[in-house]
């Protein structure tokens, strides 16, 4: 029994709560708070990396809801992939916040919930079955909500309430689907033994290709009911991924949160919805049950609508952080579109885009945070000419932008290539070619809403020449994370083979 799986989940949560309830007077000054928080970040990340490096198949039962439904953690390659990007963004956005949060109130509270959210996300990544994943999915909403509401303004409060309302509505839709799958497809087989250790049923567990007995569903005549249940789960989990029609919380919540929290929300939290969708379709239900049904068709259509809508709204948006939030809506639907194709190429492209988008969008939000912190400006047109004073920051933004557009040699081109190939390979009537067209149109719109900021930053005269001299590159703790994320965007495009082989192995296991 590998109890090390538990530590990266429990320790950050405990430290977060201890930090939250400690009296302000315990910390003599801000430097002491940052030292304690920094050590907590590093130790939590190190424990997560240790757990990720554990042997595939390691399991740890926490408790049982009922006799045949355990709540447990398990290590597999998909969980490793998601946990790895969580750790990377957690550290970079966390250390960025040491500079950014110096002008915010309630800094200790922010770090507390940031740590708690990290622990909950580790639990989500290591969940061994659908019930465990659902529990941590709900906890993820509760833990991350204080990050949205942090500044306490009326706008932040309303955004947080909207985030909660949408998230809980989606979660209840997913729970409704879980109930029906448990009743009609949860095979009540005798308890099975794993490695001579704890005996428990792999009921609603995660098995590549699908763990539920969907053949029994067809034999019992409950196919339509279970298809409806799965569709509700896709829509419900899709809320966190910003999928139409329940996407409106995302462009409302992300811009009002502090910039490092926005990076974590847009780069990582939304991927919780993606992970839940993958676990449902590819590890519980199985693609054979869904392929060619109305569920697949409607899912594809919703993804295409969201993809084009998000890019169009981002193109029209004038406020930088809100523009990036709409961009997240669009790019998450790249991933959902690939998953809906239900073939190896598209699935590979989706997982690659999970990684690339997490790094790129986190870099873009941290860039926005550094600009807002240094200038106090929020609108895109107000950053003209600043590239001359902040060349490293603006070049990092440019590289991340090229990655999101999908221009070689940045990483975005690789995931989009696989996504387009997977759409064409799917053979879905009409949608097999609409998908690549939508990807191309979205890429053009992405170029239209990202590149002008870089071009104007370097080439256009500033709005106020007199104020230009007072601007300079941000502090190293804020600049370095942006540079690292930009470098990763470029390096993963030039040297993608190790990641592609790892993701390809996950895709191959699903056959």
């Amino acid at each position: 029994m590998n109890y090390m799986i538990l530590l990266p989940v429990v320790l950050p949560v405990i430290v977060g709560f201890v930090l939250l309830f400690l009296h302000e007077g315990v910390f003599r000054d801000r430097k002491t708070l940052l030292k304690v928080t920094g050590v907590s970040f590093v130790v939590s990340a190190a424990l997560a990396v240790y757990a990720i490096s554990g042997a595939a198949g390691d399991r740890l039962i926490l408790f049982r809801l009922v006799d045949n439904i355990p709540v447990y953690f398990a290590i597999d390659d998909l969980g490793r992939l998601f946990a790895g990007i969580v750790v990377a963004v957690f550290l970079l956005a966390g250390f960025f916040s040491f500079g950014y949060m110096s002008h915010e109130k309630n800094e200790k509270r922010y770090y507390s919930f940031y740590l708690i959210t990290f622990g909950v996300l580790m639990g989500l990544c290591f969940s061994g079955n659908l019930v465990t994943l659902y529990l941590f999915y709900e906890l993820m909403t509760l833990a991350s909500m204080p990050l949205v509401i942090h500044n306490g303004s009326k706008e932040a409060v309303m955004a947080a309430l909207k985030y909660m309302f949408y998230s809980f509505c989606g979660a209840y839709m997913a729970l409704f689907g879980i109930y029906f799958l448990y009743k009609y497809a949860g095979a009540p087989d005798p308890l099975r033994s794993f490695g001579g250790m704890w005996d428990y049923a792999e009921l609603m567990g995660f098995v590549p290709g699908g763990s539920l007995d969907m053949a029994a569903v067809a034999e019992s005549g409950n196919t339509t009911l279970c298809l409806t249940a799965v569709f509700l789960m896709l829509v419900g989990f899709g809320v966190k991924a910003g999928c139409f029609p329940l996407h409106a919380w995302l462009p409302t919540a992300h811009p009002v949160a502090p910039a490092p929290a926005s990076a974590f929300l847009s780069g990582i939290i939304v991927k919780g919805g993606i992970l839940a969708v993958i676990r449902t379709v590819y590890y519980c239900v199985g693609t054979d049950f869904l392929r060619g049904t109305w569920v697949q068709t409607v899912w594809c259509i919703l993804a295409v609508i969201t993809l084009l809508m998000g890019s169009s709204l981002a193109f029209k948006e004038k406020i930088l952080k809100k523009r990036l939030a709409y961009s997240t809506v669009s790019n998450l639907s790249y991933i959902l579109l690939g998953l809906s194709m239900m073939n190896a190429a598209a699935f590979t492209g989706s997982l690659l885009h999970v990684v690339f988008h997490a790094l790129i969008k986190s870099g873009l939000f941290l860039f926005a945070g550094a600009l807002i912190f240094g200038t106090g400006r929020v609108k895109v047109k107000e950053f003209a000419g600043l590239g001359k004073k902040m060349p490293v920051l603006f070049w990092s933004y440019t590289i991340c932008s090229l990655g999101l557009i999908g221009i070689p040699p940045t990483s975005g081109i690789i995931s989009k290539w696989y996504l387009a190939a997977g759409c064409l390979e799917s053979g879905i009537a009409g949608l097999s070619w609409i998908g690549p067209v939508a990807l191309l149109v979205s890429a053009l719109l992405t170029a239209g809403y990202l590149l002008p900021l870089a071009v104007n930053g370097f080439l256009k005269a500033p709005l106020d020449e007199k104020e230009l001299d007072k601007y300079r590159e941000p502090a190293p703790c804020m600049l370095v994370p942006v540079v690292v994320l930009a470098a990763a965007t470029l390096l993963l495009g030039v040297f993608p083979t190790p990641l592609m082989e790892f993701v390809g192995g996950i895709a191959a296991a699903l056959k």
Side-chain angles (χ1 to χ4, degrees), residues 391-462:
V392 176
L393 185 66
F394 269 77
W395 273 115
S396 298
Y397 168 84
T398 303
I399 293 171
C400 288
S401 297
L402 294 176
L404 201 64
I405 297 166
I407 297 178
T410 58
S411 55
I413 183 62
I414 300 170
S415 57
K416 291 186 178 183
W417 179 273
Y418 275 94
L419 288 170
C423 288
L424 293 172
E425 183 183 318
S426 69
I428 302 175
L431 292 172
S432 61
W433 62 268
I434 290 176
V437 171
L439 291 172
L440 178 59
V441 172
S442 178
L444 294 173
L445 288 170
T446 304
Y449 65 72
L450 288 181
L451 290 184
L453 195 154
V455 172
N456 294 337
F458 285 115
L459 302 179
K460 196 172 181 180

Side-chain angles (χ1 to χ4, degrees), residues 162 166 239 242-253 309 326 329:
K162 192 172 186 177
Y166 275 73
V239 170
C243 186
F244 177 85
L246 298 175
H247 64 285
W249 70 270
L250 198 153
T252 302
M309 178 193 66
Y326 278 123
V329 171

Side-chain angles (χ1 to χ4, degrees), residues 73-335:
F73 292 145
I75 299 290
D76 68 356
D77 285 342
L78 183 68
R80 284 180 172 136
L81 180 71
F82 275 81
I85 62 173
V86 171
V87 170
V89 175
F90 166 76
L91 282 177
L92 292 170
F95 284 109
F96 178 95
S97 65
F98 288 174
Y100 184 89
M101 295 301 294
S102 62
H103 77 304
E104 294 273 349
K105 298 178 181 179
N106 300 311
E107 191 172 3
K108 181 171 71 70
R109 185 184 69 192
Y110 172 85
Y111 296 136
S112 300
F113 283 107
Y114 190 69
L115 280 163
I116 293 169
T117 302
F118 174 74
V120 171
L121 283 167
M122 286 296 104
L124 187 75
C125 293
F126 296 149
S127 294
N129 64 5
L130 199 55
V131 173
T132 309
L133 182 142
Y134 179 81
L135 292 176
F136 279 94
Y137 185 86
E138 289 277 45
L139 289 173
M140 178 176 65
T141 299
L142 293 172
S144 59
M145 186 272 290
L147 300 178
V148 177
I149 204 173
H150 178 78
N151 67 27
S153 66
K154 181 179 179 180
E155 184 183 11
V157 171
M158 296 308 296
L161 290 175
K162 192 172 186 177
Y163 171 51
M164 293 276 285
F165 177 78
Y166 275 73
S167 296
F168 284 148
C169 284
Y172 294 150
M173 293 172 70
L175 183 61
F176 181 83
I178 291 172
Y179 283 146
F180 278 91
L181 289 182
Y182 172 77
K183 178 174 177 60
Y184 294 108
D189 294 335
L191 300 182
R192 290 177 286 175
S193 175
F194 291 91
M197 292 184 285
W198 297 69
D199 289 339
Y200 57 90
E202 188 80 337
L203 194 58
M204 308 195 83
F206 298 141
V207 177
S211 62
L212 297 178
D213 188 4
M214 305 314 292
V217 171
E219 292 174 3
S220 64
N222 292 305
T223 299
T224 301
L225 181 61
C226 286
L227 282 174
T228 303
V230 174
F231 180 72
L232 288 173
M233 293 176 72
L234 293 177
V235 174
F237 286 135
V239 170
K240 194 71 76 181
C243 186
F244 177 85
L246 298 175
H247 64 285
W249 70 270
L250 198 153
T252 302
H254 288 207
V256 302
S262 297
F264 203 54
L265 285 164
S266 196
I268 299 300
I269 298 292
V270 293
K271 301 303 189 302
I274 298 294
L275 177 60
V277 167
I278 295 174
R279 292 299 197 186
T280 299
V281 173
Y282 290 87
Y283 287 78
C284 286
V285 176
T287 55
D288 289 341
F289 181 71
L290 298 176
R291 189 177 288 111
T293 66
W294 65 268
V295 173
Q296 183 185 25
T297 302
V298 175
W299 187 14
C300 292
I301 293 171
L302 290 178
V304 171
I305 291 173
T306 313
L307 190 157
L308 295 174
M309 178 193 66
S311 295
S312 301
L313 292 173
F315 186 82
K316 294 172 59 179
E317 182 56 50
K318 305 301 181 184
I319 298 174
L320 178 56
K321 285 182 69 178
K322 200 165 186 178
R323 175 176 290 190
L324 295 178
Y326 278 123
S327 173
T328 296
V329 171
S330 176
N331 273 266
L332 287 174
S333 284
Y334 286 29
I335 300 168

Side-chain angles (χ1 to χ4, degrees), residues 466-511:
K466 296 178 180 179
E467 290 192 359
L468 190 61
D469 290 338
K470 72 179 183 180
Y471 299 130
R472 58 185 62 86
E473 298 280 12
C477 66
M478 298 174 70
L479 182 62
V480 171
V482 182
V483 172
V484 169
L485 290 166
T489 300
L490 186 59
L491 290 174
L492 286 174
V494 177
F495 305 106
T497 304
L499 178 61
M500 290 173 62
E501 290 178 346
F502 183 78
V503 169
I506 298 174
L510 297 174
K511 295 180 180 179

Side-chain angles (χ1 to χ4, degrees), residues 24-36 107:
E24 295 285 350
V26 173
F27 301 102
R28 296 189 303 272
D29 51 30
R30 184 171 184 268
K31 288 184 178 180
T32 305
L33 173 62
L34 296 187
K35 287 178 182 178
V36 172
E107 191 172 3

